[in-house]
Amino acid sequence: MKSTTIYAFMAVCCLSFSAQAQKQDRKALAKTILADARLDTIQKKALKLLDGFSAGTSYSEIWIRDFNTFIKGSLKVQTKEEVKSKLLMFFKIQGNDGNIVDGVVEAAKAQGGYDYRRSDLLPGWAAHKNTVETDQESSLVQAVKQYVEVTGDQSILTEVIGGRTVLQRIEDAFSYIRKERWSEKYGLVTGATTVDWGDVQPETGWGVSINDKTKMAIDIYDNAMFVMAIHDFLAIAPKGYKTVENWKNIADQVKKNVRKHLWMKDAQKYRPHIYLNGSPFSKNFDEDKILYSGGSICAILADFNTSAEVAEINKQIVAAAGKEKYATIGMTVYPPYPVEEFPNMKAYLYQNAGDWTWFGGRMMGALLNFGMAKEAYEELLPMVDRTLAKKGFFEWYDVQNGEPKGSGNFRGEAGVLYDAITLLKNWAEAESKKN
């Protein structure tokens, strides 16, 4: 009995010592984060850039998937009225079936190869939709939630546009996904085959529009974005508001079906695609070996995974980045698709294993949600240092030579970094105040 008592006492002491050591480690990490001047510099530079709404110097459009990721920063430097007006533009040019466009642009600048639409509700503007994607509707709802969360202005929800309130139009957008981008067989959101969260399909030609060669599929990104959007909608909907469907139940079912059909338990990763009308790839190509970083990050944010799974997903993403000299966790996929399989985008080009802080930076919030602050800070720093070294915010980076590519003054990167640093600072400040 005596020896048992001694062992029990020793075990309690060890646990107490371990807990105290972990507390001290967290305190030290919090102090380091709050003292890191690089983070302050990035945020100041980001806010300076967020004085406009177009995606970057290469784009005239206001893209909703981009705007969704820099709206909080915008609200630091823009009036809430101006930000609100830009959000409402997407509802004013919403399709009759509820669909939401990708980008809105001044009519005089509508000179790309897109099939533009116009609306009497939005004079002087044109818009287009990349039909291979299924994230525009979800992105807009998430952006509205952020607007309400930051400003406290719920009047946007009851704004009447073309005889329908924004609340009704949000549900119209959800209903579009359920009718036009939905697999009854799997109970999941569908879209065209793209790389991870990308907007280009494999077949050569105009890659952003569904055509007779398109292979429809199910992926983790579209489904994670949809579930996050539903949660956001339910969080801001007024008490007592009667929805047209039981959206919570739909979100729960999507999560269940994601776990059933997309999560590969043995590999501890997400299957890139489930194909609905055949695969665009050769029979000998094993697509399941490819790791989808951006979609996996969104899945964590949608609360699809356990703590242990999040740690493993993060480990795999970090390991993939470690295989390329200049990569961070923002590298979209690994390994990249060979050009023989994806003629529209060569390996290491753009979304095919290009490095996007725009998505990698979202991992900080995902990790913090699971108590992984140390990993969040460590994985953010390479992106911070690169942004400072390149003296600007860029669309993506070449992992083979480290050079920035695509649009300069890319507001998506600026917004995501601003938000990631804010979350880390908030964690550090809360930790430093604990006894």
Side-chain angles (χ1 to χ4, degrees):
M1 289 291 295
K2 289 184 178 180
S3 61
T4 302
T5 302
I6 291 172
Y7 288 139
F9 176 74
M10 290 176 65
V12 170
C13 288
C14 287
L15 287 172
S16 177
F17 178 80
S18 176
Q20 186 63 29
Q22 290 176 13
K23 181 179 179 180
Q24 291 176 351
D25 288 345
R26 291 195 299 270
K27 289 280 187 182
L29 176 60
K31 184 177 180 180
T32 298
I33 291 171
L34 293 175
D36 194 335
R38 292 171 295 181
L39 306 185
D40 299 328
T41 300
I42 289 291
Q43 286 198 306
K44 289 177 183 177
K45 289 180 178 294
L47 290 181
K48 187 176 181 180
L49 178 59
L50 298 180
D51 60 349
F53 296 96
S54 67
T57 51
S58 296
Y59 301 103
S60 298
E61 299 96 336
I62 303 172
W63 299 84
I64 190 54
R65 61 182 349 207
D66 296 68
F67 189 22
N68 178 38
T69 60
F70 63 80
I71 188 170
K72 286 186 176 180
S74 293
L75 285 165
K76 288 288 184 180
V77 296
Q78 306 265 12
T79 66
K80 70 177 185 180
E81 291 76 18
E82 186 65 24
V83 174
K84 179 180 178 179
S85 71
K86 294 300 185 291
L87 287 173
L88 293 178
M89 292 171 72
F90 288 90
F91 292 109
K92 290 178 180 179
I93 206 161
Q94 185 174 13
N96 292 332
D97 59 359
N99 82 80
I100 300 297
V101 296
D102 273 89
V104 293
V105 63
E106 293 177 46
K109 298 179 181 179
Q111 300 171 350
Y114 298 102
D115 181 14
Y116 289 98
R117 75 170 68 160
R118 290 166 174 78
S119 170
D120 291 339
L121 297 173
L122 193 63
W125 292 80
H128 58 79
K129 185 176 182 69
N130 291 17
T131 55
V132 297
E133 301 170 33
T134 313
D135 69 346
Q136 303 95 330
E137 294 76 21
S138 299
S139 294
L140 179 56
V141 177
Q142 291 174 24
V144 170
K145 194 264 187 177
Q146 292 183 80
Y147 170 83
V148 173
E149 183 180 55
V150 172
T151 66
D153 176 21
Q154 289 194 309
S155 69
I156 189 174
L157 302 175
T158 52
E159 187 93 18
V160 178
I161 299 170
R164 295 185 67 74
T165 66
V166 165
L167 282 168
Q168 291 172 317
R169 285 181 172 275
I170 286 175
E171 292 199 84
D172 291 344
F174 287 161
S175 295
Y176 162 77
I177 293 175
R178 292 272 288 154
K179 292 176 182 177
E180 303 297 332
R181 296 299 180 91
W182 192 259
S183 168
E184 290 294 341
K185 177 180 178 180
Y186 294 99
L188 292 169
V189 178
T190 69
T193 302
T194 63
V195 179
D196 196 6
W197 51 265
D199 57 0
V200 179
Q201 58 191 344
E203 295 82 5
T204 54
W206 189 229
V208 299
S209 295
I210 290 174
N211 56 43
D212 58 355
K213 296 180 181 178
T214 298
K215 299 300 183 184
M216 298 301 290
I218 295 168
D219 65 33
I220 185 57
Y221 171 67
D222 293 336
N223 285 277
M225 288 289 285
F226 184 51
V227 168
M228 284 192 283
I230 290 176
H231 290 162
D232 285 348
F233 168 66
L234 295 177
I236 59 175
K239 188 175 181 180
Y241 176 77
K242 189 174 182 179
T243 60
V244 298
E245 287 203 61
N246 186 338
W247 296 114
K248 181 182 183 303
N249 183 61
I250 290 171
D252 291 343
Q253 287 300 311
V254 169
K255 178 178 179 178
K256 180 180 177 181
N257 291 332
V258 161
R259 299 289 306 183
K260 180 179 180 180
H261 300 295
L262 286 173
W263 178 249
M264 298 190 291
K265 185 177 180 180
D266 291 342
Q268 290 286 284
K269 64 188 287 292
Y270 285 100
R271 174 171 287 110
H273 292 107
I274 296 172
Y275 292 102
L276 304 176
N277 62 329
S279 168
F281 306 121
S282 64
K283 292 181 179 180
N284 295 326
F285 180 63
D286 188 359
E287 189 187 19
D288 284 354
K289 289 184 178 179
I290 296 178
L291 176 67
Y292 271 30
S293 299
S296 298
I297 292 169
C298 290
I300 297 171
L301 289 169
D303 197 28
F304 286 172
N305 295 95
T306 66
S307 295
E309 289 168 351
V310 170
E312 178 58 28
I313 290 170
N314 186 58
K315 181 180 177 181
Q316 291 183 28
I317 293 175
V318 170
K323 294 178 181 179
E324 297 295 338
K325 184 176 180 179
Y326 296 99
T328 74
I329 62 167
M331 184 169 58
T332 52
V333 297
Y334 200 83
Y337 288 84
V339 68
E340 295 80 14
E341 302 293 342
F342 213 104
N344 243 353
M345 200 182 301
K346 295 180 180 178
Y348 298 107
L349 178 68
Y350 203 51
Q351 294 154 356
N352 191 10
D355 192 333
W356 297 68
T357 301
W358 185 35
F359 269 83
R362 304 181 201 194
M363 188 58 146
M364 283 62 257
L367 293 173
L368 286 169
N369 287 346
F370 286 85
M372 300 173 67
K374 180 175 181 290
E375 291 84 351
Y377 179 57
E378 291 176 349
E379 292 168 35
L380 174 68
L381 289 183
M383 292 182 275
V384 165
D385 289 337
R386 178 173 62 189
T387 301
L388 294 173
K390 300 303 179 183
K391 299 180 180 180
F393 298 96
F394 294 91
E395 190 171 10
W396 63 282
Y397 299 82
D398 189 321
V399 300
Q400 296 184 300
N401 59 27
E403 290 304 306
K405 300 289 183 178
S407 178
N409 291 340
F410 187 62
R411 292 189 172 96
E413 179 181 69
V416 165
L417 283 178
Y418 178 85
D419 288 350
I421 292 169
T422 297
L423 290 173
L424 272 171
K425 286 182 175 180
N426 288 346
W427 174 87
E429 288 171 357
E431 196 66 36
S432 65
K433 294 176 182 177
K434 292 180 180 178
N435 294 326

